[in-house]
């Protein structure tokens, strides 16, 4: 029987990993919770919450060379993760841990340990030291730093050694959210939406030069890509846009997956890529200029007084806010305001207000027990029927159909 020991102080994390291991391996493994490793132990998962934990691991390796150790590196100590290479550990995890990767690595370790016990040669059961599946873990770690704005110079990017050429370094961020139309479709089909989405994008973008990267968060997925030189905006890169729209259509048709994507601007100096992340999020949450499924930040309003009016609408959308009232708020005539508003946002004033209300409706339908009639009334729609028709016009589903969908969580 294989033995796995979890040396983890975070009890919520420990309980979660224990549950995963029991679900996957059932009675085929022995889970041990001692804080002190046992001599006959095989696989350890150790939380790194302070620098001395690395010293602890180093001692374990010295006295128990056959142990297979997986560190979980806390966010405040991510800068110490390269010690994983120095200590020749097979892999390290960062929070939040992805279940599929965690189980896969433990499986690989079990195969390796079995080979050791049988005195057979280890081949490819665990990632060879210093060869991290295209630097998977370190690459995601570095990309997260890049998206937080923690990388301050191009020298850090070059020194990381994670990109084989400048053509691999992303310059644009896409902010992806979505839902599965039928809540049980994943289970019935034996697939998971996050994996299907990534595989579909990878398959179609493989036709182009360069590489795409994914960084998952709980309720959204970031796709980092490189728009070729010569384009001032991602929306001018029609080849890339065609691929994105094709993927959206394919996923909807084949899997019932509905995607909604915001795209930030191009930043050829990668240390500023976090700005594209912020812009992509803004674009995703902005009423559409042309289409709901794909929105670009450089299509969003920029005129200061129009931005002021948008803030006013966001704070009073459930009230009776007429075009005249909002125009007066920013000291514009109704006619001029109406014309400029549509030029800046791509939508008439009435369409824009309806969409802002629908954004709030989506959150209430998904996360509250309010009836559709109550939601329609709360948000200022005259009748439930008008609410339903407007909702379907923009979302493609009726409110009741949307309530039956499943929000995609990316980890």
């Amino acid at each position: 029987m294989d033995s796995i020991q979890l040396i983890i102080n975070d009890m919520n994390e420990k309980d979660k990993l224990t549950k995963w291991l029991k679900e996957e391996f059932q009675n085929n493994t022995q889970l041990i919770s001692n804080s002190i490793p046992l001599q006959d132990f095989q696989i350890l998962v150790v939380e790194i919450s302070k620098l001395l934990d690395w010293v602890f691991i180093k001692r374990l390796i010295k006295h128990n060379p056959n142990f297979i150790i997986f560190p979980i590196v806390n966010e405040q100590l991510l800068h110490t993760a390269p010690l994983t290479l120095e200590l020749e550990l097979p892999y390290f995890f960062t929070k939040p841990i992805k279940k599929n990767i965690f189980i896969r690595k433990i499986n690989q370790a079990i195969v390796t340990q079995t080979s050791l016990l049988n005195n057979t040669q280890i081949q490819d059961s665990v990632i060879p030291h210093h060869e991290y599946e295209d630097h998977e873990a370190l690459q995601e770690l570095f990309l997260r730093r890049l998206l937080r704005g923690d990388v301050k110079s191009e020298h850090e990017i070059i020194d990381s050694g994670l990109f084989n050429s400048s053509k691999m370094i992303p310059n644009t961020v896409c902010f992806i959210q979505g839902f599965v139309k039928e809540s049980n479709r994943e289970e019935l089909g034996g697939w998971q939406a996050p994996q299907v989405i990534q595989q579909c994008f990878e398959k179609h973008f493989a036709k182009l030069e360069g590489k795409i990267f994914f960084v998952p968060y709980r309720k959204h997925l970031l796709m980092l890509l490189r728009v070729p030189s010569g384009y001032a905006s991602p929306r001018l890169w029609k080849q890339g846009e065609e691929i994105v729209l094709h993927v959206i259509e394919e996923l909807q048709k084949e899997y019932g997956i509905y995607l909604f994507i915001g795209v930030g601007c191009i930043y050829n100096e990668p240390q500023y890529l976090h700005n594209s992340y912020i812009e992509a999020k803004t674009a995703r949450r902005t009423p559409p200029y042309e289409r709901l499924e794909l929105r670009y930040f450089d299509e969003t309003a920029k005129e200061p007084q129009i931005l002021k009016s948008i803030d006013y609408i966001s704070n009073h959308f459930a009230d009776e806010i007429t075009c005249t009232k909002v125009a007066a708020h920013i000291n514009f005539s109704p006619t001029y305001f109406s014309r400029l508003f549509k030029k800046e946002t791509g939508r008439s004033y009435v369409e824009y207000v309806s969409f802002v209300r629908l954004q709030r409706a989506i959150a209430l339908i998904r996360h509250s027990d309010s009836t559709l009639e109550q939601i329609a009334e709360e948000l200022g729609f005259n009748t439930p029927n008008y609410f339903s028709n407007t909702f379907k016009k923009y979302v493609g589903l009726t409110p009741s159909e949307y309530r039956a969908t499943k929000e995609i969580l990316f980890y």
Side-chain angles (χ1 to χ4, degrees):
M1 179 179 291
D2 300 299
S3 296
I4 302 172
Q5 185 169 359
L6 304 178
I7 304 178
I8 300 174
N9 295 324
D10 184 338
M11 293 309 299
N12 290 331
E13 193 74 19
K14 189 172 185 177
D15 291 344
K16 179 180 73 175
L17 299 185
T18 299
K19 180 182 177 183
W20 290 352
L21 291 168
K22 286 182 177 179
E23 289 174 350
E24 181 69 21
F25 301 108
Q26 298 179 359
N27 297 323
N28 296 324
T29 60
Q30 177 186 9
L31 288 175
I32 303 173
S33 298
N34 298 33
S35 59
I36 300 175
L38 305 179
Q39 289 300 315
D40 60 349
F41 200 73
Q42 298 178 26
I43 300 168
L44 281 76
V45 180
V46 182
E47 182 179 19
I48 303 295
S49 57
K50 54 186 181 298
L51 288 174
L52 285 176
D53 291 331
W54 287 113
V55 178
F56 171 67
I57 287 180
K58 190 172 183 178
R59 288 173 181 167
L60 285 178
I61 295 170
K62 180 178 179 181
H63 297 291
N64 305 278
N66 289 334
F67 281 0
I68 296 179
I69 303 173
F70 294 98
I72 300 175
V73 185
N74 286 349
E75 184 174 0
Q76 64 270 24
L77 290 174
L78 287 179
H79 63 282
T80 68
L83 286 171
T84 307
L85 295 172
E86 182 180 325
L87 296 174
E88 297 191 339
L89 302 179
Y91 196 80
F92 73 90
F93 300 107
T94 59
K95 296 180 181 180
I97 300 174
K98 303 174 195 174
K99 181 179 179 180
N100 61 323
I101 294 178
F102 178 76
I103 294 301
R104 188 178 71 211
K105 300 307 175 189
I106 297 297
N107 257 318
Q108 292 173 340
I110 288 172
V111 172
T112 297
Q113 196 59 259
T114 301
S115 298
L116 281 171
L117 293 174
N118 293 331
N119 294 318
T120 57
Q121 183 179 5
I122 302 173
Q123 295 179 353
D124 297 322
S125 51
V126 170
I127 305 170
H129 299 319
H130 310 294
E131 297 178 15
Y132 274 89
E133 293 182 344
D134 295 329
H135 308 283
E136 178 185 306
L138 288 176
Q139 198 165 66
E140 182 176 322
L141 168 61
F142 187 82
L143 290 174
R144 286 183 184 275
R145 289 186 59 224
L146 198 61
L147 292 166
R148 288 198 303 266
D150 292 345
V151 177
K152 302 301 182 183
S153 70
E154 291 189 36
H155 291 295
E156 288 185 70
I157 297 167
I158 296 170
D159 292 343
S160 72
L162 297 175
F163 303 102
N164 295 332
S165 71
S166 60
K167 292 181 180 180
M168 287 183 62
I169 301 175
N171 59 14
T172 305
V173 176
C174 300
F175 187 100
I176 302 172
Q177 292 180 304
F179 60 82
V180 182
K181 184 176 181 181
E182 299 166 18
S183 60
N184 63 343
R185 188 160 179 178
E186 289 173 285
E187 183 178 354
L188 293 175
W191 49 267
Q192 294 181 317
Q195 284 71 40
V196 167
I197 292 167
Q198 293 185 35
Q199 290 167 4
C200 196
F201 274 115
E202 287 172 343
K203 177 181 71 175
H204 290 287
F205 270 107
K207 306 167 188 175
L208 304 181
E209 188 177 5
K211 182 176 174 60
I212 58 174
F213 304 91
F214 295 99
V215 180
Y217 295 82
R218 183 161 178 77
K219 292 192 175 184
H220 65 274
L221 175 70
L222 298 184
M223 180 171 69
L224 286 65
L225 51 83
R226 185 169 188 84
V227 176
S229 60
Y231 294 98
S233 165
R235 68 184 174 87
L236 300 176
W237 184 34
K238 294 305 178 184
Q239 192 175 12
E241 181 181 270
E242 288 172 5
I243 289 176
V244 171
L245 292 175
H246 179 79
V247 169
I248 291 172
E249 182 180 356
E250 181 178 316
L251 289 172
Q252 185 173 327
K253 181 179 179 181
E254 298 295 329
Y255 297 94
I257 294 174
Y258 286 67
L259 291 188
F260 305 92
I261 303 174
V263 184
C265 296
I266 297 171
Y267 286 85
N268 288 318
E269 295 181 347
Q271 64 268 32
Y272 300 119
L273 193 65
H274 61 282
N275 293 322
S276 189
Y277 176 16
I278 296 169
E279 294 165 352
K281 182 190 295 187
T282 301
R284 163 69 186 98
R285 297 173 179 176
T286 300
Y289 192 93
E290 182 177 351
R291 59 176 73 84
L292 181 64
E293 297 86 358
L294 181 62
R295 286 167 271 178
Y296 297 96
F297 178 76
D298 64 359
E299 291 176 332
T300 61
K302 303 295 189 297
E303 206 281 330
Q305 290 298 92
I306 295 300
L307 291 176
K308 184 178 178 180
S309 74
I310 287 173
D311 286 340
Y312 185 82
I313 292 169
S314 298
N315 293 325
H316 300 86
F317 62 85
D319 303 331
E320 289 293 333
I321 49 170
T322 63
C323 179
T324 301
K325 185 174 182 179
V326 178
H329 178 71
I330 59 172
N331 298 316
F332 278 6
S333 71
T335 302
Y336 178 67
F337 169 70
S338 181
R339 185 169 63 250
L340 183 60
F341 190 90
K342 184 167 186 178
K343 178 183 177 183
E344 284 287 310
T345 67
R347 296 283 165 178
S348 71
Y349 172 80
V350 172
E351 288 177 320
Y352 191 95
V353 172
S354 293
F355 189 85
V356 171
R357 288 172 172 166
L358 287 177
Q359 285 181 309
R360 176 59 179 161
I362 285 172
L364 291 173
I365 291 171
R366 178 74 71 195
H367 302 294
S368 80
D369 296 325
S370 300
T371 66
L372 300 179
E373 290 77 13
Q374 290 171 332
I375 293 172
E377 182 178 359
E378 178 181 340
L379 298 179
F381 289 96
N382 294 329
T383 66
N385 189 50
Y386 175 64
F387 169 56
S388 181
N389 290 337
T390 305
F391 193 97
K392 185 169 184 178
K393 174 184 175 182
Y394 284 100
V395 182
L397 304 173
T398 65
S400 57
E401 288 173 333
Y402 181 78
R403 178 160 265 175
T405 65
K406 179 183 177 183
E407 181 181 15
I408 298 173
L409 301 179
F410 291 93
Y411 66 73

